Amino acid sequence: MSAEYYDYYDGSKLFLFLSNRLGLPIDLVNFLIAQFAALCVARLFRKPLKLASPEFRHSLCLVIGLLMGYFCFGKQAVHLSVLPMIGYILLRTLSPNLMGNVILAASMIYLSCIHLHRQIYHTADYSLDITGPLMVITQRVTSLAYSLQDKLTTKEINANSTSNSWSKDFKTDKMPSPLEYFAYTLAFQTLMCGPVVFYSDYISFIEGDHVNGEGKSHMTEREPSPRLAVLYKVAGSVAAAVLYLSLAKKYPLTVLEELTNPHSEVSRSWSALYLLWYAYLSTLVVRCKYYHAWLLSEAICNNSGMGFNGYDTNGSPKWDKMSNIDVLGFELAQNFRAAVSSWNKNTNAWLRLVAYSRGGWRTTRVYALSAIWHGFHPGYYFTFFAGGIFTVAAKKVRSFARPMFVDSKPKKMLYDALTFITTRVAMTYATVPFILLNLSPTLAFYGKFYYSLHFIALGALFLPNNNKYHTTQNSNCSNTSSKLKENSIQENIVEANGKMKVH
């Protein structure tokens, strides 16, 4: 690595010898050491510390989080304390009617300043920096602010929304003490890469209320063990890491940066079809990096006893409340919305809480907030712009075209195959800028396709409504209403067992 790389990175260099031996960047080595140490320490919260006082459990989460932050980020870790401190001062001083919006604005401004600093002054090639944990802390601070606001003002979030019952899951009964607040915002289990943990879930974990009261009839005296869930997720995380390390050099997405050079082989000889295929493989490899980090973080949560989500219909415990990714759900999705819902799921829940349920222009608000939350690289905005119009266009196409294919099994199979391929193409087309980040290669990539998918999506918005679709929907609604009483008992059991309302 270059001298500049080591000079800019503020984290610990204690394991530099291991970094050189493995051929991995020191920031990645520190991340892995911190996460696997957290996985081991998390076990203490289930056995020796299960009956410890809430104050002690809060303190341990806070101290370990601070140590992890300093180990990985050095002096930059000061931001991990400043942002929550600003949020807590505002929580204590603002009117309940204002705290949500003001704290969201203050947190996003602070995070944006750090994003801009890194974008302007960062020239090294390491990937671990303080913006990652700050993005997670922003989610925690703002979700807590809106949860308190909803409880203290006793208002419905949106009179035109059906999400009011869902929002009750995140309401907070009282203002947290300083220890509760800072332990929540800096809890080590999800500090490095999420997922966001909502305050009500964190307090239930600390106080030992892992199982909903309605679900206790399914239990013996012992708490259900997360051992199998942890092993499964650690194995998935390791498999994703191996796949990433094996294929990253074979399908580097940086090759697409050569599109800016009209004399390169990529520009001269690659067809649009082959370019799309290569981009799909490259983005798949990059996704493996996210699968590795998120599955490992979820395993840490489960190993500490966090993330229990009731029982399934067979009476088996579910440990998926802190799940941030549904790998198969994303990779095999048959429409764009299903793919988005399977990716970074708890962030989707956060966006729904702080943006989607707060007013009009919901899709626009969600994608705009998500883009700013990620930073200011142009690639983010190209991705979220494409994602926004693709989501709306896919819904329009589905309502127009699907009724033409549902009257026979072969036609339905053809429709499913077409939607699967279309979703893969659209997702690859939309997410390449997110990884390229810079403007020139993004424009060159889209220019290779003449921005065709953008125009197709915009054209789809003008498709007429399919009357057959609405007739079928009305018929289905009447048939469904006759089955509500039959299904109500099963639905109550599912809700009592802790099924998440949003995925």
Side-chain angles (χ1 to χ4, degrees):
M1 297 294 174
S2 64
E4 182 181 15
Y5 171 90
Y6 293 119
D7 291 340
Y8 195 89
Y9 179 63
D10 290 326
S12 172
K13 299 179 177 65
L14 180 63
F15 294 95
L16 191 57
F17 71 96
L18 186 60
S19 170
N20 294 331
R21 179 168 298 182
L22 296 176
L24 297 175
I26 184 62
D27 62 298
L28 179 57
V29 171
N30 284 350
F31 172 81
L32 294 174
I33 291 174
Q35 289 296 81
F36 278 106
L39 181 65
C40 297
V41 173
R43 178 72 176 177
L44 299 176
F45 283 82
R46 291 196 60 251
K47 291 298 180 181
L49 299 180
K50 179 181 178 181
L51 300 179
S53 67
E55 291 77 12
F56 184 82
R57 289 163 66 88
H58 279 305
S59 300
L60 196 57
C61 283
L62 174 59
V63 170
I64 296 174
L66 290 173
L67 290 175
M68 284 178 57
Y70 186 76
F71 173 75
C72 290
F73 305 107
K75 62 184 180 182
Q76 291 186 21
V78 67
H79 297 292
L80 302 180
S81 299
V82 174
L83 178 55
M85 193 177 300
I86 294 173
Y88 194 66
I89 292 173
L90 293 175
L91 275 180
R92 285 292 189 179
T93 57
L94 289 173
S95 164
N97 293 315
L98 298 175
M99 64 172 56
N101 292 337
V102 173
I103 291 175
L104 176 62
S107 300
M108 293 302 297
I109 290 172
Y110 191 96
L111 176 63
S112 297
C113 291
I114 305 301
H115 275 311
L116 287 171
H117 180 273
R118 181 174 189 262
Q119 186 172 340
I120 294 172
Y121 296 104
H122 166 63
T123 57
D125 56 355
Y126 70 92
S127 58
L128 185 69
D129 76 290
I130 200 65
T131 57
L134 283 179
M135 291 167 70
V136 177
I137 291 174
T138 297
Q139 290 179 315
R140 296 181 185 180
V141 170
T142 55
S143 63
L144 173 59
Y146 277 111
S147 297
L148 279 170
Q149 174 179 297
D150 296 337
K151 181 65 178 180
L152 296 176
T153 59
T154 62
K155 292 181 178 179
E156 293 183 347
I157 288 179
N158 188 337
N160 299 319
S161 173
T162 60
S163 63
N164 294 331
S165 61
W166 170 84
S167 67
K168 293 177 182 177
D169 295 344
F170 304 116
K171 284 187 178 180
T172 303
D173 292 332
K174 63 183 180 66
M175 182 73 67
S177 68
L179 177 60
E180 291 171 335
Y181 174 84
F182 286 100
Y184 164 64
T185 55
L186 294 168
F188 73 94
Q189 289 92 340
T190 59
L191 177 65
M192 298 301 294
C193 56
V196 57
V197 177
F198 294 98
Y199 184 74
S200 57
D201 295 324
Y202 171 77
I203 289 297
S204 294
F205 155 70
I206 289 294
E207 296 179 353
D209 184 19
H210 301 300
V211 182
N212 294 336
E214 298 88 341
K216 289 183 180 179
S217 60
H218 292 271
M219 293 184 60
T220 62
E221 293 182 357
R222 298 184 60 188
E223 176 186 291
S225 172
R227 185 178 294 110
L228 289 179
V230 172
L231 291 175
Y232 172 77
K233 290 163 186 175
V234 170
S237 175
V238 171
V242 170
L243 190 61
Y244 172 76
L245 294 175
S246 302
L247 300 178
K249 292 184 179 180
K250 188 175 182 179
Y251 298 105
L253 198 64
T254 52
V255 169
L256 300 184
E257 295 177 359
E258 297 180 18
L259 289 170
T260 57
N261 180 7
H263 304 293
S264 67
E265 180 182 356
V266 177
S267 297
R268 290 187 295 103
S269 60
W270 283 21
S271 65
L273 185 61
Y274 182 77
L275 177 62
L276 187 65
W277 171 247
Y278 184 91
Y280 169 74
L281 293 176
S282 298
T283 52
L284 175 61
V285 172
V286 173
R287 286 198 297 275
C288 287
K289 181 170 63 173
Y290 289 93
Y291 296 156
H292 159 70
W294 283 340
L295 288 173
L296 182 57
S297 183
E298 187 180 347
I300 295 171
C301 290
N302 294 165
N303 206 31
S304 67
M306 189 187 299
F308 178 72
N309 200 23
Y311 296 84
D312 60 21
T313 54
N314 297 321
S316 300
K318 299 185 299 181
W319 289 89
D320 60 353
K321 198 168 189 180
M322 301 305 163
S323 177
N324 220 16
I325 182 65
D326 179 358
V327 178
L328 293 180
F330 181 87
E331 298 295 342
L332 302 179
Q334 293 185 340
N335 60 75
F336 201 87
R337 181 178 181 180
V340 171
S341 298
S342 299
W343 179 267
N344 212 351
K345 295 192 295 182
N346 279 25
T347 292
N348 290 336
W350 170 71
L351 288 169
R352 181 173 182 177
L353 176 65
V354 305
Y356 186 83
S357 300
R358 304 287 165 177
W361 296 86
R362 293 176 173 179
T363 301
T364 302
R365 288 161 62 92
V366 166
Y367 279 102
L369 176 60
S370 185
I372 297 173
W373 178 69
H374 280 88
F376 296 97
H377 287 285
Y380 295 146
Y381 295 85
F382 276 91
T383 288
F384 288 112
F385 173 75
I389 61 173
F390 287 176
T391 300
V392 177
K395 182 179 180 180
K396 190 77 172 181
V397 171
R398 176 181 171 85
S399 66
F400 177 80
R402 191 173 186 276
M404 305 176 188
F405 293 87
V406 296
D407 54 355
S408 70
K409 188 174 182 179
K411 291 170 68 175
K412 180 61 168 59
M413 292 177 62
L414 175 61
Y415 175 82
D416 290 342
L418 289 174
T419 54
F420 172 79
I421 295 172
T422 302
T423 302
R424 303 279 76 69
V425 171
M427 187 58 67
T428 300
Y429 183 88
T431 54
V432 165
F434 189 92
I435 303 169
L436 289 176
L437 297 179
N438 296 319
L439 181 62
S440 296
T442 294
L443 294 177
F445 176 77
Y446 280 152
K448 192 75 173 181
F449 299 94
Y450 301 101
Y451 296 84
S452 54
L453 265 67
H454 286 86
F455 291 117
I456 292 173
L458 291 172
L461 301 180
F462 297 96
L463 287 173
N465 292 326
N466 192 320
N467 294 329
K468 181 179 177 181
Y469 172 77
H470 293 288
T471 302
T472 304
Q473 287 293 96
N474 293 334
S475 176
N476 289 339
C477 288
S478 62
N479 291 336
T480 302
S481 63
S482 66
K483 299 179 181 179
L484 286 177
K485 292 184 179 180
E486 178 183 345
N487 295 335
S488 61
I489 296 178
Q490 295 180 354
E491 291 175 351
N492 289 335
I493 293 174
V494 170
E495 289 187 5
N497 286 341
K499 184 175 181 181
M500 289 185 69
K501 306 299 187 295
V502 178
H503 297 284

